[in-house]
Amino acid sequence: MWFDSGRVCLDLVATFAPRRNPGGAEGTEGAEGAEGIRDGDGLRLWLTGAGLVPDRTPLSRVGDDWVRAFRVLRADVESLVRAELAGAAPPGAALARVNAAAAGPPPGLCAVQDQEGHLVRELCGGVECAGLLAAVARDAVELLTDPGERELLRACEGDGCARVYLDTSRGHRRRWCSSELCGNRERVARHRRRVLESRPG
């Protein structure tokens, strides 16, 4: 999974990578693509990797209903981000759902002693789907209402890539979600084109 977008809400959006059609249009949630949250196990991995739950937090209650809720939030956040990138009005229904999710209380953190007597982080009051959704939705609200952060939103220029990220690079000239992945693919493609163009005939 990818956790390099600069915001947890954009990391959630990155868990689904729609394949682009030959004409360049992106796929949709129902289209064929790479799904990073296929089931409860995938969501558990994402929640831990995104830092929304401390390490070793029991996530036994994560099930299909959680997966559906996070996929809906993902689609809503993506539609709001894409509208922002396009300079379009935010979709009203998506905005209402994100605002409703953000209004809930996010999970609180507590410091507790582990078996060796060291302080470790735990979620106070247990792990609730609504609280974790609220944390991601609030991150989206903070991103979309901060003019400075909005200015840093970028769509990856990599061929076939639909990821969105914050460009915090010096000079704000970052073109790809990942220099190692999309950037390297672009450099290899450029090299191949130069080799083909240099061949006689």
Side-chain angles (χ1 to χ4, degrees):
M1 291 191 181
W2 196 64
F3 298 102
D4 194 27
S5 65
R7 298 297 294 239
V8 70
C9 63
L10 299 180
D11 289 340
L12 178 62
V13 170
T15 61
F16 183 78
R19 293 208 176 108
R20 290 181 187 245
N21 297 324
E26 289 171 18
T28 61
E29 279 287 323
E32 192 177 348
E35 175 59 76
I37 303 178
R38 291 187 180 148
D39 52 23
D41 289 338
L43 182 55
R44 286 184 197 94
L45 285 173
W46 186 82
L47 290 169
T48 304
L52 288 171
V53 296
D55 289 337
R56 299 180 302 276
T57 301
L59 295 170
S60 57
R61 294 176 55 199
V62 175
D64 291 343
D65 53 336
W66 289 48
V67 171
R68 283 190 296 274
F70 272 88
R71 286 181 177 179
V72 168
L73 179 60
R74 177 181 67 191
D76 288 337
V77 171
E78 180 167 19
S79 66
L80 294 174
V81 167
R82 298 279 180 201
E84 178 62 37
L85 285 168
L95 184 60
R97 284 190 296 268
V98 169
N99 281 334
L109 281 176
C110 306
V112 298
Q113 284 187 316
D114 65 10
Q115 292 178 346
E116 288 82 37
H118 303 292
L119 289 178
V120 295
R121 293 184 304 146
E122 276 190 8
L123 295 182
C124 302
V127 181
E128 298 293 335
C129 184
L132 295 172
L133 288 169
V136 179
R138 283 187 181 197
D139 185 65
V141 168
E142 289 169 6
L143 166 64
L144 294 167
T145 57
D146 183 326
E149 293 277 281
R150 288 197 312 259
E151 285 292 314
L152 301 179
L153 268 174
R154 302 284 186 273
C156 183
E157 296 179 25
D159 186 35
C161 184
R163 288 191 173 135
V164 180
Y165 59 91
L166 287 188
D167 180 7
T168 56
S169 66
R170 180 182 291 179
H172 306 301
R173 292 191 297 263
R174 180 174 161 191
R175 296 178 51 209
W176 305 293
C177 63
S178 166
S179 180
E180 292 78 24
L181 296 175
C182 288
N184 192 50
R185 277 201 284 279
E186 180 67 23
R187 287 187 285 273
V188 168
R190 268 199 310 250
H191 175 71
R192 285 183 182 151
R193 284 193 297 271
R194 281 197 300 270
V195 169
L196 288 172
E197 289 167 3
S198 66
R199 287 180 180 170

